[in-house]
Amino acid sequence: SSFSRSTWDLSKASPNLVLAISAILHPLPYQMTFNTDITFLIAGTVLLLLFTYTGKKAMIERWEGATLVMLYIGYTIMLIVS
C-alpha cells in the first residue's frame, strides 16, 4: 500500500498543538478579569494543598471541606453579580 506508518497523521495531532497554531494565526484577547480568576485558582489550590497535608492521614476534615465549599459559593456569587 502507498500509506506508510511513518506518515504524520493530522488526526493524531495534539489538541494543544492545534490551539497553539490557531492562537499564532489569530491571537486571543486577554481580559483583565482573568487576573481575578487566576488569583482565586491559585488561592484555592494552595488552600487545598494546605488542608490536605495538615492534620491526620492527609485527609480533608469536615470544616476544611466546608471552608472550600463556602469559598466556591462565594466565588460563584461574585461571578454572577459582576
Side-chain angles (χ1 to χ4, degrees):
S1 95
S2 63
F3 179 77
S4 69
R5 292 207 178 256
S6 63
T7 304
W8 190 61
D9 189 5
L10 284 177
S11 66
K12 295 180 182 175
S14 168
N16 292 335
L17 178 65
V18 173
L19 289 173
I21 291 172
S22 64
I24 289 170
L25 296 176
H26 183 70
L28 301 172
Y30 181 80
Q31 299 172 6
M32 293 306 287
T33 57
F34 291 160
N35 290 344
T36 305
D37 296 337
I38 291 171
T39 302
F40 273 94
L41 174 69
I42 292 171
T45 303
V46 169
L47 273 177
L48 179 62
L49 288 173
L50 285 174
F51 288 164
T52 302
Y53 292 112
T54 57
K56 304 176 195 173
K57 300 181 185 177
M59 277 178 79
I60 297 176
E61 296 179 13
R62 187 178 308 256
W63 72 270
E64 295 167 332
T67 302
L68 291 172
V69 169
M70 294 305 290
L71 288 172
Y72 173 71
I73 291 171
Y75 175 68
T76 305
I77 290 171
M78 183 195 75
L79 288 177
I80 292 171
V81 169
S82 64

